[in-house]
Amino acid sequence: MSNNLIKITEPDGNLPATARLIYMMIGVVGFIVIGIVGYGFYTGNRMTTMYTPLVDAAMEIKLEVTTAHLWFEEIISGDRHEDMAAVWEHLEQADWYAKAMLEGGENIEGTFISLDDNKLRRLIMEVQGRLSEFREITEQRIAERGSSGVGTVIDQRYDAVFNTLVMQADEVKTRLEQVMVRDIGRFRYTQLTLMLVCLSVFLFFGFIFHRFEHSRRNYFRAIRQANEKLCESESRYQQLFEESPISLWEEDFSAVKQYLDRLRDSGISDFRTHFASHPETVHECAQLVKIIDVNKATLEMFQAESKEVLLANLVQIFGEQSYEVFSEQLIFLILHEGKGLFASEAVNQTLQGREIHIGLQLVVASGCEGSWAKVLISLTDITMRRQIKIELEKRGQELEERVKLRTKELEIKTEKIEGSRKALTYLMEDVNASREALQIVNRDYAAANQELKEFAYIVSHDLKAPLRAISQLTHWISEDYAEVFDDDGREQIGLVLKRVKRMDGLIDGVLRYSRIGRVKEKEESLDLNLLVKEVIENLAPPDSIQIILENRLPVVLRDPTRMGQVFQNLIGNAIKFMDKDVGVIRVGCVDEGDLWKFMVADNGPGIDQRYHDKIFKIFQTLTARDEHESTGIGLTLVKKIITLYGGTIRIESEFGKGSSFIFTLPKK
């Protein structure tokens, strides 16, 4: 006997693909958190590096102006006899620092990044103006050295310009420090928000993993219990096989099946004619049969001491006539593809040389129809019945007719009773198995439905909350730094908003997909003409696209929301992917008896035939999402709604020649 039991992989073994994916996603979230922290340190250090030279530059302006002033006063008073070159050098250095703050620059003290703050730029430009004014008043005063002593008008003007210049340099430094503190504070707030979002995502995936692991362990527990029951069933089958009063043979015809397949591949189709003209083929097939087991009744029927003795003397048991019956068995298996019950009679011999007549029945075990790996054969000794029949034939004609009639009636009734008994037994077993399977399916369905409701709640509340936070934060950044961002920055901000919007659309699409068939619909009398017109108005197609209703659409008893989703997705896709200067979309319906056949056709780009199945699968798109904004859920949603209503949907299209989506709806 074969022992085909279920092999169980324990929960602590190799993880399935779903678990590996969850671990991978948790790792990705961890790497993102580490990346955000690293980015925070890098950006904070960069901001410090950027603002520190600018603050130093503001101080340098004040220092250079003050130094120039002191040198000039000493030259005017006669304490220094140098020329004015040093004074002009200090003023030029101060002007260089001011220019570096406006336009950027680099010296031995560091790299200066140009400022974007408008108020600071105005202050620095005022400092530049004061520097020019201070240089002019200094040149005027040195030219009029004799009449520009202390207390004169030019001396007072000189002091006023110097004091104003120093105050403006201090104001620049103060404003720089304020901007630096403000930017660092905003950056820390942004970093904290991103950390909270990542933490929320991490907690969500942790919860999902916990639920998966719990379901996984329950799954293995159920398999283990099923395996124990299968072991018990196998043991009972073994006992019934051995103790059966009918001769039973379990054989393996898989090698025979392979041999016959090779003959078919070589061009042989009429096996009956081939076996008749090539009897050696039947002998070769008989040698390929593997006898797996026989029961005790078989040993008694053929008067064998053991299974080994029986198997060693098969040639003596099965004579030449047996090859004819075996040939019929092969033809039956070929014609019926391993299905059905074969019955026949044959003449064999026991190991003691006694000739016996047997009734033979052959059936391929369920699940082995394609390989013939397990074939069950029952043999019944009908020798006595045949002898009685021969004796009865020797009697008179009248008695013979009566006996034949009664025997035939008895055989028919016996076969019907036996067939009914077996059928009833099989039916009761199938009913019991089906009832248990139905109970398990109902429990699994209830649990799955409850988990689906919980998942929909998590997606609609917990998963969309971080998206709203990201969207709001991105809007704040784009508004607060509108003047700071260049074209590339604004493009990146727009890209983030588009990705958030796409993710929000994906979540909404998944929720709509999960509600189909789960949420109870409201059916009402629905005029599809009004519904399609309302859909077209909502889609607002451009003037270059014309939508034509080819005939009047029917009134159906369906849910308006579901039917609206069908037409909105089909017409919306035709509008979205239209590549012609003048687009035409046709909507029509044909009455086909019990069905309505609808069509939505366009003269757009068309779809290659190899993608006709792919487009109905969830999240599948044929173009880049940045080229045409799409979630990949629309056609999947349409197919699920049509299938739920008992209809079908298909596409007729060639690349470059437009597309026609054809779907049916039962009238009732």
Side-chain angles (χ1 to χ4, degrees):
M1 291 292 297
S2 60
N3 191 18
N4 300 320
L5 301 182
I6 299 174
K7 295 183 179 179
I8 299 178
T9 303
E10 294 297 334
D12 55 354
N14 294 328
L15 291 176
T18 306
R20 291 197 299 271
L21 179 59
I22 292 177
Y23 281 131
M24 186 186 304
M25 297 180 75
I26 293 176
V28 169
V29 171
F31 277 116
I32 292 175
V33 173
I34 294 173
I36 290 175
V37 173
Y39 173 74
F41 283 113
Y42 167 75
T43 305
N45 182 62
R46 184 176 178 274
M47 292 178 69
T48 303
T49 304
M50 178 181 72
Y51 282 109
T52 299
L54 295 175
V55 174
D56 292 341
M59 295 176 62
E60 286 293 337
I61 291 173
K62 179 180 178 181
L63 178 61
E64 295 292 344
V65 171
T66 302
T67 303
H69 166 68
L70 293 176
W71 278 54
F72 179 71
E73 287 296 334
E74 290 181 2
I75 292 172
I76 289 294
S77 63
D79 294 339
R80 285 183 178 271
H81 302 287
E82 294 89 344
D83 55 16
M84 290 293 293
V87 176
W88 306 138
E89 182 180 351
H90 285 294
L91 292 179
E92 289 175 358
Q93 189 67 25
D95 184 69
W96 184 89
Y97 280 114
K99 185 177 181 181
M101 294 177 72
L102 289 174
E103 302 175 1
E106 184 175 357
N107 62 8
I108 59 174
E109 297 177 3
T111 301
F112 298 90
I113 301 174
S114 60
L115 289 170
D116 295 328
D117 187 81
N118 291 330
K119 184 176 180 180
L120 265 174
R121 292 183 68 86
R122 285 196 300 271
L123 288 174
I124 295 171
M125 285 189 287
E126 290 177 2
V127 169
Q128 283 185 314
R130 290 295 179 188
L131 281 171
S132 299
E133 184 180 357
F134 185 69
R135 184 182 182 94
E136 291 175 1
I137 193 67
T138 301
E139 290 175 346
Q140 184 179 354
R141 190 177 178 192
I142 197 64
E144 301 175 6
R145 179 181 300 183
S147 60
S148 60
V150 178
T152 61
V153 175
I154 191 171
D155 179 62
Q156 293 176 359
R157 183 184 168 199
Y158 172 85
D159 291 340
V161 173
F162 171 73
N163 291 331
T164 302
L165 183 57
V166 172
M167 290 175 59
Q168 287 178 338
D170 289 336
E171 188 175 354
V172 169
K173 175 177 173 295
T174 302
R175 178 61 181 171
L176 266 173
E177 292 174 345
Q178 292 174 352
V179 171
M180 179 174 68
V181 172
R182 182 198 66 189
D183 289 350
I184 292 177
R186 288 181 178 176
F187 165 72
R188 289 176 177 171
Y189 174 76
T190 302
Q191 184 184 18
L192 178 60
T193 303
L194 291 175
M195 289 288 289
L196 291 176
V197 170
C198 287
L199 180 60
S200 301
V201 174
F202 180 79
L203 292 176
F204 169 76
F205 280 112
F207 173 75
I208 293 297
F209 174 73
H210 172 73
R211 297 287 303 181
F212 167 77
E213 191 66 21
H214 177 72
S215 301
R216 183 168 168 264
R217 291 186 179 276
N218 289 340
Y219 169 74
F220 278 106
R221 188 180 299 111
I223 291 181
R224 189 180 296 107
Q225 293 173 355
N227 189 60
E228 293 174 355
K229 292 181 180 179
L230 185 59
C231 290
E232 296 176 1
S233 176
E234 189 78 12
S235 177
R236 288 195 299 270
Y237 172 76
Q238 176 72 31
Q239 184 177 3
L240 290 174
F241 182 87
E242 287 293 338
E243 301 300 330
S244 173
I246 300 175
S247 171
L248 296 178
W249 299 63
E250 182 179 345
E251 301 179 359
D252 182 358
F253 277 47
S254 59
V256 178
K257 176 70 165 53
Q258 296 172 6
Y259 179 77
L260 295 177
D261 287 342
R262 289 194 297 270
L263 292 179
R264 184 186 287 111
D265 293 339
S266 65
I268 297 174
S269 57
D270 187 353
F271 281 91
R272 185 180 300 277
T273 303
H274 180 76
F275 289 159
S277 59
H278 299 82
E280 69 277 3
T281 303
V282 179
H283 289 71
E284 293 177 7
C285 291
Q287 293 176 359
L288 293 174
V289 175
K290 295 180 181 179
I291 299 176
I292 300 175
D293 200 2
V294 296
N295 65 349
K296 295 179 180 178
T298 302
L299 302 181
E300 295 174 358
M301 175 182 290
F302 293 99
Q303 298 176 328
E305 297 178 356
S306 64
K307 296 178 181 179
E308 291 75 11
V309 174
L310 177 71
L311 298 179
N313 294 276
L314 293 177
V315 176
Q316 180 180 348
I317 293 174
F318 301 107
E320 192 65 28
Q321 183 184 358
S322 299
Y323 287 106
E324 298 179 3
V325 178
F326 182 66
S327 174
E328 293 298 325
Q329 293 178 19
L330 296 180
I331 294 172
F332 175 85
L333 291 175
I334 294 171
L335 294 177
H336 294 81
E337 298 180 350
K339 300 176 182 178
L341 176 67
F342 172 80
S344 181
E345 293 183 1
V347 178
N348 299 124
Q349 284 188 349
T350 67
L351 295 182
Q352 304 301 322
R354 183 171 63 88
E355 185 177 87
I356 58 175
H357 294 265
I358 61 171
L360 180 147
Q361 289 185 330
L362 176 146
V363 65
V364 178
S366 177
C368 299
E369 293 88 349
S371 63
W372 303 357
K374 187 174 183 180
V375 178
L376 298 178
I377 299 175
S378 65
L379 303 180
T380 305
D381 188 350
I382 59 173
T383 304
M384 185 63 69
R385 189 175 64 187
R386 288 182 61 84
Q387 291 176 352
I388 293 174
K389 186 177 180 180
I390 293 173
E391 289 293 330
L392 291 175
E393 288 176 352
K394 294 180 181 179
R395 299 176 181 266
Q397 187 69 29
E398 183 179 354
L399 182 61
E400 181 181 6
E401 293 296 330
R402 291 181 181 179
V403 172
K404 286 183 178 180
L405 181 61
R406 291 296 180 89
T407 302
K408 186 175 182 179
E409 292 176 352
L410 180 61
E411 289 177 349
I412 293 174
K413 290 181 180 180
T414 302
E415 290 176 357
K416 287 182 178 180
I417 293 173
E418 183 66 15
S420 299
R421 183 183 64 79
K422 290 183 178 180
L424 182 60
T425 301
Y426 294 151
L427 180 62
M428 290 301 297
E429 292 176 354
D430 291 341
V431 168
N432 292 333
S434 299
R435 185 184 293 112
E436 294 177 358
L438 182 60
Q439 292 175 352
I440 295 174
V441 169
N442 288 336
R443 289 197 300 270
D444 293 343
Y445 176 80
N449 196 31
Q450 182 63 30
E451 291 185 358
L452 184 58
K453 290 180 180 179
E454 295 175 359
F455 176 76
Y457 177 84
I458 292 171
V459 170
S460 60
H461 292 81
D462 296 346
L463 191 58
K464 295 187 75 172
L467 286 178
R468 289 192 292 269
I470 293 174
S471 178
Q472 186 63 44
L473 180 60
T474 306
H475 277 293
W476 288 347
I477 292 174
S478 64
E479 292 173 358
D480 292 343
Y481 291 87
E483 299 176 355
V484 176
F485 285 129
D486 54 10
D487 292 342
D488 185 64
R490 285 188 289 272
E491 181 181 352
Q492 295 299 326
I493 287 293
L495 188 60
V496 171
L497 291 174
K498 286 177 65 179
R499 292 296 188 271
V500 171
K501 183 178 179 181
R502 181 186 299 168
M503 187 63 186
D504 188 75
L506 283 172
I507 294 173
D508 289 339
V510 172
L511 288 176
R512 289 196 301 271
Y513 184 81
S514 66
R515 291 192 185 103
I516 297 176
R518 183 172 57 86
V519 179
K520 186 176 181 181
E521 302 178 352
K522 84 177 166 179
E523 292 187 346
E524 60 184 55
S525 181
L526 180 63
D527 188 344
L528 295 182
N529 298 282
L530 300 178
L531 176 68
V532 172
K533 290 180 180 178
E534 182 179 351
V535 168
I536 295 173
E537 291 176 359
N538 292 336
L539 292 172
D543 295 337
S544 62
I545 296 179
Q546 182 182 10
I547 301 179
I548 302 173
L549 291 179
E550 294 190 328
N551 52 10
R552 184 166 183 80
L553 302 181
V555 177
V556 298
L557 187 63
R558 295 290 188 273
D559 180 74
T561 302
R562 295 289 182 243
M563 293 305 299
Q565 288 174 333
V566 171
F567 284 103
Q568 182 165 352
N569 278 289
L570 293 178
I571 299 175
N573 282 350
I575 294 173
K576 182 190 303 181
F577 296 101
M578 179 60 66
D579 63 343
K580 304 297 188 300
D581 294 335
V582 177
V584 178
I585 300 174
R586 296 179 289 109
V587 181
C589 178
V590 177
D591 187 346
E592 293 196 345
D594 296 334
L595 298 172
W596 293 108
K597 184 170 78 171
F598 295 88
M599 177 188 70
V600 177
D602 62 72
N603 64 336
I607 300 174
D608 195 297
Q609 186 174 3
R610 56 181 173 172
Y611 300 122
H612 285 188
D613 293 331
K614 177 181 178 182
I615 60 175
F616 291 106
K617 296 181 180 179
I618 193 167
F619 300 136
Q620 298 294 317
T621 60
L622 301 183
T623 60
R625 287 190 167 91
D626 290 334
E627 181 179 346
H628 291 287
E629 191 64 33
S630 175
T631 61
I633 297 178
L635 288 180
T636 307
L637 199 67
V638 170
K639 183 175 182 180
K640 188 170 183 180
I641 293 172
I642 297 301
T643 303
L644 182 66
Y645 284 147
T648 60
I649 184 170
R650 59 188 174 87
I651 179 175
E652 294 180 356
S653 176
E654 291 185 20
F655 186 73
K657 297 183 180 180
S659 302
S660 296
F661 285 88
I662 302 170
F663 64 92
T664 61
L665 285 179
K667 292 184 177 179
K668 295 183 181 180

